[in-house]
Amino acid sequence: MRIVCIGGGPAGLYFALLMKQLNPAHRITVVERNKPYDTFGWGVVFSDATLAGMREWDAPTADAIEVAFNHWDDIELHIGGRSIRSGGHGFVGIGRKKLLNILQARCEALDVELVFETEADSDTDYPDADLVIASDGVSSRIRQRHAAVFQPDVVTRPNRFIWLGTKQLFDAFNFLFEKTEHGWFQAHVYKFDDTTTTFIIETPEEVWKAHGLDQADVAQSVAFCERLFARHLGSHPLLSNARHLDPLKRGSAWINFQRVRCKQWSLFNGQSHVVLMGDAVHTAHFAIGSGTKLALEDAIELTRLFKTHGDTAEHIPAVLQRYQAEREIDVLRLQNAAWNAMEWFEVVGTRYCDALEPEQFMYSMLTRSQRISHENLRLRDAAWLEGYERWFAARAGLEVPAHVRPPSPMFTPYTLRGLTVPNRVVVSPMALYSAVDGLPGDFHLVHFGARALGGAGLLYTEMTCVSPDARITPGCAGLWNDTQRDGWKRIVDFVHGNSGAKMGLQLGHAGRKGSTQLGWQQADDPLPEGNWPLFSASAIPYGANSQRPSAMTRADMDSATADFVAAARRGAEAGFDILELHCAHGYLLSSFLSPLTNQRGDEHGGSVENRARFALEVFAAIRAVWPGDRPISIRLSCHDWFPGGNTADDAVAIARLFKAAGADIIDCSSGQVVAGQKPVYGRMYQTPFADRIRNEVGIPTVAVGSIFEADHVNMVIAAGRADLCAVARPHLADPAWTLHEAAKIGHQAIAWPQPYLSGRGQFESNLRRAKAN
Ligand SMILES: Cc1cc2nc3c(=O)[nH]c(=O)nc-3n(C[C@H](O)[C@H](O)[C@H](O)COP(=O)(O)OP(=O)(O)OC[C@H]3O[C@@H](n4cnc5c(N)ncnc54)[C@H](O)[C@@H]3O)c2cc1C
Ligand SMILES: Cc1cc2nc3c(=O)[nH]c(=O)nc-3n(C[C@H](O)[C@H](O)[C@H](O)COP(=O)(O)O)c2cc1C
């Protein structure tokens, strides 16, 4: 085959040499606009695993890289005069120049034609090529030329960064955080050969501008960074090798990361097949340092496919199709992790630097990509993690003797006002549709009893309705009379008398989503008969089959508030430890909060303050009658997942209002506000809302949504992304979810009910046996 690679970065060079090695008969040219052995940038990092993959395909290249590698295990954080180090992270670093030199030399040895100082204009400049590799980097001209086919999605991110070097040496991957009068800067610092260190400095656009760096030339920018990081640099200067930049062009040394994705990776231009590779088709932020890895692995995969399916011109279309199919998933996974890590560095200055203590900041930083979990950190550096768990337990008020293994964060107590829950697991509120006339019965007693005996720290009732017409369905539980109060008291007393668990009461009003069928019938559809009238913020029905609600009058609002107050009073009498006001999921209070369902022209509609007014009125009214030593939680839909609806920004504003009103904790759910919502589901998918509200507003939060393993709870709690984790569906599948998860992670210090002890022994030894096999 005749192959031309446009761009002699890692992708183009490596693919060229792999294909030449696969079959020396291929005629391969790499066209590069730079001079030979000339490049921008300093060191790059990738993992041992990438190198192992390279060795399989071309041992001489892997050997040469291995000799030039700098290997290190530790990550060190410097913030606020503190340094914290943890090990076991296993990086390899190499100068970008050195890497390219190795690839260029290997290309030459294999007889790949290298054409330097030549700018390729177009993929059609090579009419004899069967295959053109567009490995021309993040600003790929070839990608832009065929944008209609490749359909690139390029997102420019808000942080500014500058890629510098220094002769100051560091013996770990260092993250340095420095505060200025305008905000925080961070440096990502790693040595890549015996004498040189990469020093990437990053800050949000507004901080960058506030320092006038948009007006600074390269030398002025470097001088600014030297002053800022002086205490880490010893007597060494920072060095710029941005030869591709105009040194006098103001602000030019600082760039924004561009995240690139493409819908289509290849095409036929009428004479050659053209395929994008490396940064030209996908980028990954340097926060997890994997752009070079992706480029090299692209080259390996395309070579593997040619080897498997035939490396002659007629196989090109099929191979290119498979190439995209095979690579796309791995790349997306890595891009998602890189995105999380990148976002962490974008918000770190406003969200974490001042809010988290250095110990917790370190944990948050290490788990920023969400790929490294709590137990994974234990494998990397058990001693560091144990030290952190000990620190966390002490912060939670637990005295753990030095010779005793500290509990993981999931099993530390948590206190709000006069309430202390024994661990961080909450049985999330879940409608059971099993009440008669709102009265919780034997089903409820057994349901909550089983989950209290099952180890959860706090159990919430389902949305308990404040009046008969506040119910979602005829099966919903209520608290509008004393019989119901006594029904709940029987349950609360059982829980308190037989377990360490606490009981929470979720109070709500269904609003426009009321008078519908049970959850397992035509949920959200009206009853076949016996419907009751509905109220909402505005007279907008929920779904196509739904009843039209009336927009609440002031009198309706006062009457509903009185119902909430009466129910809160009865809840206190029943002995509930915490009250949660349900302001989520499109029910009455939520219908006021969302602009999609609130189109009122009075003081309860319009701005976020107005939309929150009624929920705040209800909150103030129940707070006045709820005992002062018991906390109140607010459940919010932190995103409506619908255009024009509330987003996380609104949730932050609403949480601020509730904090100012005296709420104790925000339970961060999302959605279910309007039919037609498009939520983005995934593991722990709502936790970012809890994280943001907790650390930006400064109020405790509950995370909920697809949290289904102890590892998830530990990650969320340990990183300070929330204070409690609510777990719903796993508790429907397993009432003893908490006890079982404790056993899986080897947490012994949790009491099983005495009568169940022999079951515990067998459960734990079966787990040990399964692990050993
Ligand atoms: C600050 C920073 C730090 C990074 N750190 C890391 C890291 O630690 N680890 C990591 O793995 N990755 C890192 N990367 C990313 C990494 O540099 C890229 O992902 C990687 O180089 C991609 O390789 P590539 O071959 O696709 O593109 P490039 O390396 O960009 O190569 C493209 C080549 O094409 C040439 N070219 C472009 N257009 C033309 C044309 N029209 N004609 C001829 N030649 C052309 C360019 O001169 C260039 O040599 C970092 C990037 C940045 C910006
Ligand atoms: C059957 C069922 C009933 C629910 N009822 C309520 C409820 O009454 N009040 C509430 O706030 N959330 C309710 N939810 C939402 C859960 O509390 C929780 O937020 C959601 O299921 C996500 O958590 P998970 O992924 O752990 O299931 C319900 C969920 C389920 C599955």
Side-chain angles (χ1 to χ4, degrees), residues 735-752:
W737 184 83
T738 306
L739 294 180
H740 291 161
E741 288 299 307
K744 286 182 201 162
I745 61 166
H747 175 75
Q748 290 291 320
I750 186 166
W752 283 50

Side-chain angles (χ1 to χ4, degrees), residues 428-431 462-463 506 582 585 635 704-706 727-730:
S428 200
M430 278 181 288
E462 65 192 83
M463 180 174 105
Q506 189 188 57
H582 198 343
H585 301 169
R635 182 166 259 213
V704 62
S706 282
V727 175
R729 289 165 296 170

Side-chain angles (χ1 to χ4, degrees), residues 6-12 31-34 40 43-45 96 118-120 135-138 141 161 163 190 200 277-280 286 289-293 295:
I6 299 179
V31 183
E32 168 58 47
R33 66 180 170 204
N34 287 337
F40 67 93
V44 293
V45 286
R96 177 175 158 97
T118 303
E119 181 108 22
S135 48
D136 50 345
V138 59
R141 187 178 294 177
F161 68 93
W163 201 356
Y190 49 96
I200 306 169
M277 189 179 277
D279 273 11
F286 56 85
S290 286
T292 306
K293 164 195 156 83

Side-chain angles (χ1 to χ4, degrees), residues 308-324:
T308 310
H309 299 287
D311 61 338
T312 49
E314 72 271 22
H315 291 108
I316 293 176
V319 162
L320 294 187
Q321 218 174 14
R322 278 169 194 257
Y323 165 68
Q324 175 168 354

Side-chain angles (χ1 to χ4, degrees), residues 118 136 141 165 338 346 409 420 425 430 437 482-483 528 709 722 763:
T118 303
D136 50 345
R141 187 178 294 177
E346 287 170 358
T420 297
V425 180
M430 278 181 288
D437 295 330
D482 290 348
T483 315
E709 289 173 3
F763 188 78

